[in-house]
Amino acid sequence: MSILQADRIKGGVPFTVVLGALFLSLTGMYAVEPAVSLVIGSLTEKKEGAKPSDSGDLSSPFGVDFDSRGNMIIVELGGGRVHRLSPDGKFSTISGDGSKSYRGDDGPASEATFDGMHNVAIGKDDAIYIADSWNHCIRRIVPKTGMISTIAGTGEAGFGGDGGPATEAKFNFVMCITLNATSDTIHVADLKNLRIRAVDLRRGTVSTVAGNGKKGVPKDGALAIESPLVDPRAVASDSKGNLYVLERSGNALRVVRPDGRIYTVAGSGKRGPKDGPGLQAELGSPKHICVDDSDNVFIADDANAAIRKYDPRAKLLTTVLGRGKSQPPIYLKRPHGVCFEKGKLYVVDTGNNRILRMDAP
């Protein structure tokens, strides 16, 4: 027996539909699979090249996060826009005009432009931090004033500035940014510099916390800042001070412990869809991660078209969404973003220009 409902935004009006199912277990008892719902976008694939409208259509969304009022902030890689979706379904564009450029600092966010935004993080004060990837910087929108500024990076590719002002530091492809639990540090996946860096928001300074600038697989137990990295695409910290690093071409999830030492915890390094014990399991060009309230790590596994879950207690990697492994079956296309908020996991299904929500698996 299945239940089919769905959430859809069209013309600013929400239509609620939830996808979920009941299945008969081997014991004969009924259990409930996690419900999945469509938050925004379309249940059907759109034709390539379709022009997005202002009524809730998205163009290559990559990242989402939430402010204290429950507004979802969405950034697009292809569309070059920043959107707000309110809890009552009101959809609006707050920044970006679709062009690939770098304009608008120290002025209204509505007049700013971006180039290749990969994700967004929101502080406890509701400040919106944006990974403006191909502009090699981090931008901040202050909701109370609506003003935008660059708070880290110069806009030019390079490496330098550790220990000094963040606005004078150089990055090379800011692929992912996340805030720590206290919202006073932004961790940065500085892709082409092969480093994870930290922006101290209190002092306005930058430091390196993992990676020595060389490409390679880090040795378990080595100091993270003295170790190579393969391809650091995303980073996120848990409640215990562990810092997870996701490597796309390395097909691995690594962790920097509070003592500064790095370990591989999931992914054999071989590309594939295999679930199982962390170091025996496989990943397929994973793109993004988030951590839930129980310190589980969720992975947007791009080439596998799936969302994976790493349980650090069981040291187990499992598939929780995609590849038809649900009832009714759900298929993803290039999932590039995940975000955990108030018991729900939000999935940015980039290739289908939609955002899904599911009960915590």
Side-chain angles (χ1 to χ4, degrees):
M1 182 171 74
S2 66
I3 303 170
L4 178 61
Q5 298 178 321
D7 260 0
R8 186 175 180 182
I9 302 295
K10 186 174 182 180
V13 180
F15 296 87
T16 301
V17 182
V18 175
L19 298 170
L22 295 176
F23 68 91
L24 187 61
S25 73
L26 295 175
T27 62
M29 300 295 292
Y30 282 96
V32 181
E33 289 187 348
V36 181
S37 58
L38 179 68
V39 177
I40 186 169
S42 174
L43 283 174
T44 58
E45 292 188 20
K46 295 180 184 259
K47 293 181 179 180
E48 293 292 334
K51 184 179 180 181
S53 71
D54 291 327
S55 62
D57 288 332
L58 300 175
S59 177
S60 296
F62 256 56
V64 301
D65 202 358
F66 291 81
D67 66 18
S68 63
R69 297 181 181 179
N71 295 301
M72 176 190 286
I73 304 299
I74 308 163
V75 298
E76 301 174 320
L77 178 79
R81 302 170 299 172
V82 182
H83 305 295
R84 178 187 290 117
L85 179 64
S86 68
D88 63 0
K90 183 178 180 181
F91 181 86
S92 59
T93 299
I94 61 175
S95 194
D97 62 7
S99 66
K100 294 181 179 180
S101 53
Y102 183 24
R103 301 194 304 269
D105 268 3
D106 303 317
S110 58
E111 298 178 11
T113 59
F114 307 88
D115 190 3
M117 292 178 284
H118 270 71
N119 81 311
V120 59
I122 300 180
K124 290 184 176 180
D125 59 354
D126 286 343
I128 300 169
Y129 297 93
I130 296 168
D132 196 357
S133 305
W134 300 333
N135 282 326
H136 314 290
C137 66
I138 301 171
R139 315 278 289 277
R140 176 174 61 196
I141 298 174
V142 180
K144 289 184 179 179
T145 63
M147 303 291 279
I148 189 170
S149 62
T150 295
I151 60 104
T154 65
E156 297 181 359
F159 175 73
D162 275 5
T167 52
E168 297 177 11
K170 287 189 176 182
F171 300 83
N172 198 344
F173 276 47
V174 177
M175 294 299 286
C176 170
I177 59 173
T178 54
L179 284 156
N180 64 349
T182 52
S183 287
D184 55 19
T185 299
I186 296 178
H187 288 112
V188 185
D190 191 4
L191 177 63
K192 289 197 173 182
N193 284 323
L194 296 171
R195 290 174 169 92
I196 301 298
R197 300 172 78 184
V199 178
D200 187 322
L201 295 176
R202 297 166 299 178
R203 298 181 176 87
T205 57
V206 176
S207 62
T208 294
V209 295
N212 61 8
K214 297 179 181 180
K215 187 170 185 175
V217 177
K219 181 180 178 181
D220 278 357
L223 288 173
I225 59 173
E226 297 178 358
S227 299
L229 293 173
V230 177
D231 181 14
R233 290 284 175 145
V235 57
S237 58
D238 70 8
S239 65
K240 298 178 178 65
N242 295 299
L243 186 66
Y244 287 94
V245 178
L246 186 69
E247 302 213 83
R248 187 180 187 186
S249 62
N251 292 303
L253 178 68
R254 314 193 199 280
V255 64
V256 179
R257 301 295 185 195
D259 64 1
R261 298 187 180 276
I262 191 168
Y263 300 85
T264 300
V265 294
S268 65
K270 178 183 176 181
R271 178 170 163 173
K274 181 181 176 182
D275 284 339
L279 296 178
Q280 298 174 30
E282 299 168 343
L283 293 164
S285 298
K287 284 296 298 283
H288 194 248
I289 54 176
C290 70
V291 179
D292 71 10
D293 295 338
S294 299
D295 290 337
N296 297 301
V297 182
F298 292 93
I299 303 169
D301 201 6
D302 182 7
N304 282 326
I307 303 302
R308 317 289 292 280
K309 175 184 176 181
Y310 173 68
D311 182 333
R313 290 159 299 277
K315 298 182 180 180
L316 191 68
L317 188 70
T318 56
T319 299
V320 297
L321 186 66
R323 302 174 67 85
K325 293 186 177 182
S326 58
Q327 184 62 37
I330 294 172
Y331 294 90
L332 305 175
K333 185 178 181 181
R334 302 194 310 274
H336 281 178
V338 281
C339 175
F340 187 83
E341 175 73 7
K342 295 182 178 178
K344 306 289 184 180
L345 182 68
Y346 292 80
V347 175
V348 183
D349 188 13
T350 301
N352 288 319
N353 290 310
R354 65 184 180 180
I355 297 170
L356 305 172
R357 174 180 57 224
M358 68 182 297
D359 292 342

